[in-house]
């Protein structure tokens, strides 16, 4: 069972837009602070090699959904 994430109600517009524009999966959490999560989109580039979007989003902006 893989957990998914979604922006919290009070998240910044930028964070909400990333989740609306892409299907994001968690890649890893920051090691030093634990306050950031690296996400990447499951959609690939035109050559099918790389995620169309990847970036760090603050843990405080997202909630984890089990199921």
């Amino acid at each position: 069972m893989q957990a998914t994430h979604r922006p919290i109600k009070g998240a910044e517009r930028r964070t909400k837009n990333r989740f609306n524009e892409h299907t994001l999966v968690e890649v890893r959490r920051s090691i030093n602070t634990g306050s950031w999560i690296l996400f990447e989109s499951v959609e690939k580039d035109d050559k099918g090699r790389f995620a169309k979007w990847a970036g760090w989003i603050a843990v405080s902006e997202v909630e984890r959904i089990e199921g």
Side-chain angles (χ1 to χ4, degrees), residues 4 17 28 31 36 43-44 50 57 65-66:
T4 58
N17 286 344
R28 69 179 183 155
I31 296 170
W36 296 90
E43 304 91 9
K44 300 296 180 189
F50 303 105
I57 296 178
I65 305 162
E66 301 291 335

Side-chain angles (χ1 to χ4, degrees), residues 8 29-30 34-37 39 57-64:
I8 63 170
R29 291 180 183 252
S30 61
S35 57
W36 296 90
I37 303 173
F39 286 97
I57 296 178
V59 169
S60 62
E61 298 254 325
V62 297
E63 62 181 328
R64 183 181 173 107

Side-chain angles (χ1 to χ4, degrees), residues 1-32:
M1 177 175 10
Q2 183 175 351
T4 58
H5 296 78
R6 69 177 172 207
I8 63 170
K9 185 176 181 180
E12 297 289 326
R13 180 184 297 182
R14 179 182 175 276
T15 298
K16 290 179 180 178
N17 286 344
R18 296 300 172 263
F19 280 89
N20 286 333
E21 295 166 356
H22 305 285
T23 303
L24 300 178
V25 294
E26 181 178 338
V27 177
R28 69 179 183 155
R29 291 180 183 252
S30 61
I31 296 170
N32 296 337

Side-chain angles (χ1 to χ4, degrees), residues 47-60:
K47 295 182 181 178
R49 296 187 298 177
F50 303 105
K52 282 190 172 183
W53 184 87
W56 295 94
I57 296 178
V59 169
S60 62

